[in-house]
């Protein structure tokens, strides 16, 4: 059976494409605007070639550019148009620039039209589009439902849903909208079944499912079976990775992303085996790159005293206690110049009434909360559970289920940004396997 080729739009650094590649699909073309992300996907998926994923502005690209890469087998168009116009963080950033800067005026909110332009020209046999759950209310418009309506009027059967990455082996409770459509003459697409689960937790978006059921094309995702393995935890994800900082007094060393270090142990669980042997050759990696982490020097002592699950309020109280002990030890008078200088050096200056959840020390017994592109700024949102620092680039990649063989040839900040923007490859793989079943049906061969 010859599977359709994959055209990968808004590819980012390659999380969605990597999942489809693992499922046996051939990625023959793609588009990504960010130069660094395009460099990453070329290095990891394109064998270094620069003519598969094009570093272009899709709005300036002719839809016929990939015509000669697709044969009788046809193609599937995949991708995740930019989410900044929909996301809460993106809305807040726009509003901070002025009252007239509202998210519905952001042209990125309509880039899915460029995506559909390629879908229709290429006569794609199937479509997979990913975005944030906030896309369900874009100035009162439900973007996933609107896209389904559009696809259905052009010869597709379309559905949309919200999948939690943790249900598919990713150590992160990350919920994302997926729009999936297949040509009407093909078999019906069926949502992937969870490989992992936690029946005792209902997420924020799961509580919205009853309201979404009013939409014609919304589908409730499959529930995990009672005997399904539990969610992969942060401890499961991190416990074999190299130790980088044992004490807050350790000397900080900024490692280039191509420098490697040996793991602290052999793989201890299924997730670690996957990360160290992505292609399942039975040959585990023995060292790993991208071990760099941010130099949050002022706050390493605070991180060390924080307990798992602590937030910024907890961190602020710890900082106050550390500062109080130090200025008393030095004999500084309250409100003296020395006192003020020391406080600035030791106590984070952020507003404690607004900043509560901007810091979070991860709990090794749970999956991570959502990894975002904001990690490039400081990594305070994801503080390591047992070392006094923010997570490293590799640890962020693990939380997104990027394999350890996946490398980053860019700055540390840009690597965090690429990882935070990506689709987790294990989630992408689950969706790709479900799409693959459509084309294994006898109707496709006819």
């Amino acid at each position: 059976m010859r599977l359709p080729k994959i055209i990968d739009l808004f590819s980012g650094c390659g999380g969605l494409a990597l999942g489809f590649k693992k499922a046996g699909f051939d990625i023959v073309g793609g588009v990504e605007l960010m130069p660094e992300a395009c460099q990453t996907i070329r290095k990891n998926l394109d064998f270094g070639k620069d003519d598969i994923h094009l570093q272009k502005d899709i709005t300036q690209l002719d839809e016929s550019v990939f015509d000669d890469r697709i044969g009788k087998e046809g193609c599937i168009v995949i991708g995740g148009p930019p989410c900044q116009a929909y996301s809460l963080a993106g809305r807040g950033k726009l509003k901070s620039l002025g009252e007239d800067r509202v998210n519905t005026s952001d042209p990125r909110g309509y880039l899915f039209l460029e995506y559909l332009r390629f879908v229709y020209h290429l006569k794609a046999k199937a479509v997979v589009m990913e975005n944030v759950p906030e896309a369900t209310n874009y100035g009162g418009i439900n973007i996933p439902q609107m896209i389904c309506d559009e696809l259905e009027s052009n010869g597709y059967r379309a559905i949309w849903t919200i999948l939690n990455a943790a249900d598919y082996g990713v150590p992160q409770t990350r919920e994302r909208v997926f729009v999936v459509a297949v040509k009407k003459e093909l078999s019906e697409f069926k949502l992937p079944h969870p490989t992992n689960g936690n029946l005792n937790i209902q997420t924020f978006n799961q509580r919205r499912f009853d309201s979404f059921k009013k939409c014609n094309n919304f589908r409730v995702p499959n529930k995990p079976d009672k005997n399904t393995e539990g969610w992969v935890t942060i401890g499961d994800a991190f416990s074999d990775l190299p130790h980088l900082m044992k004490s807050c007094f350790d000397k900080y060393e900024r490692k280039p992303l191509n420098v490697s270090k040996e793991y602290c142990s052999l793989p201890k669980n299924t997730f670690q085996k996957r990360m160290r042997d992505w292609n399942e050759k039975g040959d585990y990696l023995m060292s790993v790159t991208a071990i760099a982490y941010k130099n949050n020097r002022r706050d390493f002592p605070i991180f060390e005293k924080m307990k798992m699950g602590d937030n910024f309020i907890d961190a602020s109280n710890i900082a106050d206690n550390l500062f109080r002990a130090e200025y008393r030890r030095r004999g500084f008078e309250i409100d003296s110049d020395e006192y003020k200088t020391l406080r600035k050096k030791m106590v984070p200056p952020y507003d404690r009434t607004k900043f509560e959840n901007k810091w979070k020390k991860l709990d090794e017994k749970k999956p991570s909360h959502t990894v975002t592109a904001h990690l490039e700024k400081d990594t305070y949102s994801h503080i390591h559970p047992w070392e006094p620092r923010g997570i490293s680039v590799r640890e962020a990649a693990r939380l997104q289920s990027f394999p350890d063989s996946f490398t980053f040839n860019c700055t540390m900040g840009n690597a965090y940004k690429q990882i935070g923007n990506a689709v987790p490859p294990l989630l992408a793989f689950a969706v790709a396997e479900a799409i693959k079943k459509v084309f294994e049906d006898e109707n496709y061969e006819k």
Side-chain angles (χ1 to χ4, degrees), residues 379-423:
T379 68
Y380 287 123
S381 62
H382 289 72
I383 300 167
H384 196 280
W386 58 78
E387 294 191 14
R389 57 177 177 81
I391 58 173
S392 69
V393 170
R394 180 54 58 194
E395 288 156 352
R398 278 269 180 111
L399 294 182
Q400 282 279 58
S401 75
F402 277 97
D404 294 355
S405 57
F406 198 93
T407 59
F408 300 90
N409 185 21
C410 57
T411 65
M412 185 197 315
N414 200 274
Y416 282 123
K417 183 177 182 179
Q418 291 179 42
I419 292 166
N421 280 331
V423 178

Side-chain angles (χ1 to χ4, degrees), residues 164-174 195-196 231-233 237 271 274 367-368 397-402 423-428:
N164 185 352
D167 289 341
Y168 300 93
V170 180
Q172 178 190 172
T173 53
R174 182 189 191 92
T195 58
N196 300 74
W231 283 341
V232 179
T233 68
F271 178 79
R274 280 180 170 177
S368 172
R398 278 269 180 111
L399 294 182
Q400 282 279 58
S401 75
F402 277 97
V423 178
L426 282 179
L427 174 58

Side-chain angles (χ1 to χ4, degrees), residues 79-132:
C83 66
Q84 290 89 342
Y86 311 132
S87 70
L88 293 177
R91 294 181 199 183
K93 185 173 182 180
L94 278 172
K95 190 174 181 180
S96 72
L97 298 175
E99 290 299 322
D100 59 326
R101 300 292 293 276
V102 294
N103 65 312
T104 49
S105 299
D106 188 337
R108 292 175 296 184
Y110 300 94
L111 281 173
F112 65 85
L113 296 173
E114 297 294 331
Y115 182 100
L116 293 176
R117 176 166 65 91
F118 277 81
V119 168
Y120 296 145
H121 173 79
L122 294 168
K123 297 181 175 58
K125 294 183 178 294
V127 175
V128 178
M129 186 187 297
E130 177 266 359
N131 219 296
V132 293

Side-chain angles (χ1 to χ4, degrees), residues 36-196:
E36 298 87 351
C38 201
Q39 182 180 8
T40 299
I41 197 169
R42 286 171 176 173
K43 180 176 176 58
N44 288 281
L45 276 84
D46 298 347
F47 307 103
K49 298 177 181 178
D50 60 7
D51 59 348
I52 297 178
H53 280 85
L54 309 178
Q55 197 266 299
K56 297 285 186 181
D57 180 347
I58 195 171
T59 66
Q60 306 299 314
L61 199 61
D62 191 280
E63 60 266 30
S64 64
V65 67
F66 301 122
D67 285 1
D68 61 351
R69 307 186 188 191
I70 302 164
K72 293 181 180 180
E73 71 280 347
C75 75
I76 299 172
V77 176
I78 67 173
C83 66
Q84 290 89 342
Y86 311 132
S87 70
L88 293 177
R91 294 181 199 183
K93 185 173 182 180
L94 278 172
K95 190 174 181 180
S96 72
L97 298 175
E99 290 299 322
D100 59 326
R101 300 292 293 276
V102 294
N103 65 312
T104 49
S105 299
D106 188 337
R108 292 175 296 184
Y110 300 94
L111 281 173
F112 65 85
L113 296 173
E114 297 294 331
Y115 182 100
L116 293 176
R117 176 166 65 91
F118 277 81
V119 168
Y120 296 145
H121 173 79
L122 294 168
K123 297 181 175 58
K125 294 183 178 294
V127 175
V128 178
M129 186 187 297
E130 177 266 359
N131 219 296
V132 293
E134 290 85 355
T136 57
N137 185 6
Y138 183 54
I141 301 171
N142 186 319
I143 296 295
Q145 182 59 48
M146 186 171 72
I147 293 171
C148 286
D149 291 340
E150 167 66 20
L151 287 165
E152 293 230 323
S153 67
N154 283 273
Y156 292 87
R157 279 200 301 268
I159 64 102
W160 68 274
T161 191
I162 296 181
L163 300 179
N164 185 352
D167 289 341
Y168 300 93
V170 180
Q172 178 190 172
T173 53
R174 182 189 191 92
E175 294 183 289
R176 288 296 183 265
V177 164
F178 280 84
V179 174
V180 182
V182 298
K183 281 288 190 179
K184 288 182 178 177
E185 62 267 22
L186 296 173
S187 297
E188 183 179 357
F189 169 78
K190 296 180 181 179
L191 289 170
H193 201 79
T195 58
N196 300 74

Side-chain angles (χ1 to χ4, degrees), residues 315-412:
S316 297
N317 291 332
I318 291 168
D320 288 344
N321 290 334
L322 290 171
F323 167 64
R324 189 179 298 110
E326 185 63 16
Y327 84 71
R328 287 174 175 172
R329 186 185 70 81
R330 297 190 187 192
F332 293 159
E333 293 290 333
I334 294 177
D335 289 334
S336 65
D337 288 343
E338 294 89 349
Y339 174 98
K340 292 176 182 178
T341 298
L342 182 64
R343 180 177 178 82
K344 185 176 181 180
K345 184 178 179 181
M346 295 185 67
V347 180
Y350 316 116
D351 187 337
R352 300 183 188 188
T353 64
K354 300 178 181 178
F355 217 73
E356 180 176 352
N357 294 313
K358 298 295 184 181
W359 288 33
K360 191 75 170 180
K361 188 158 188 175
L362 299 172
D363 187 335
E364 66 179 344
K365 295 181 180 179
K366 299 178 181 179
S368 172
H369 53 288
T370 301
V371 172
T372 69
H374 188 269
L375 279 178
E376 74 165 320
K377 302 297 184 183
D378 50 43
T379 68
Y380 287 123
S381 62
H382 289 72
I383 300 167
H384 196 280
W386 58 78
E387 294 191 14
R389 57 177 177 81
I391 58 173
S392 69
V393 170
R394 180 54 58 194
E395 288 156 352
R398 278 269 180 111
L399 294 182
Q400 282 279 58
S401 75
F402 277 97
D404 294 355
S405 57
F406 198 93
T407 59
F408 300 90
N409 185 21
C410 57
T411 65
M412 185 197 315

Side-chain angles (χ1 to χ4, degrees), residues 255-266:
K255 301 286 189 182
L257 295 185
N258 62 352
V259 169
S260 64
K261 188 171 183 178
E262 289 186 1
Y263 295 93
C264 69
S265 73
L266 292 171

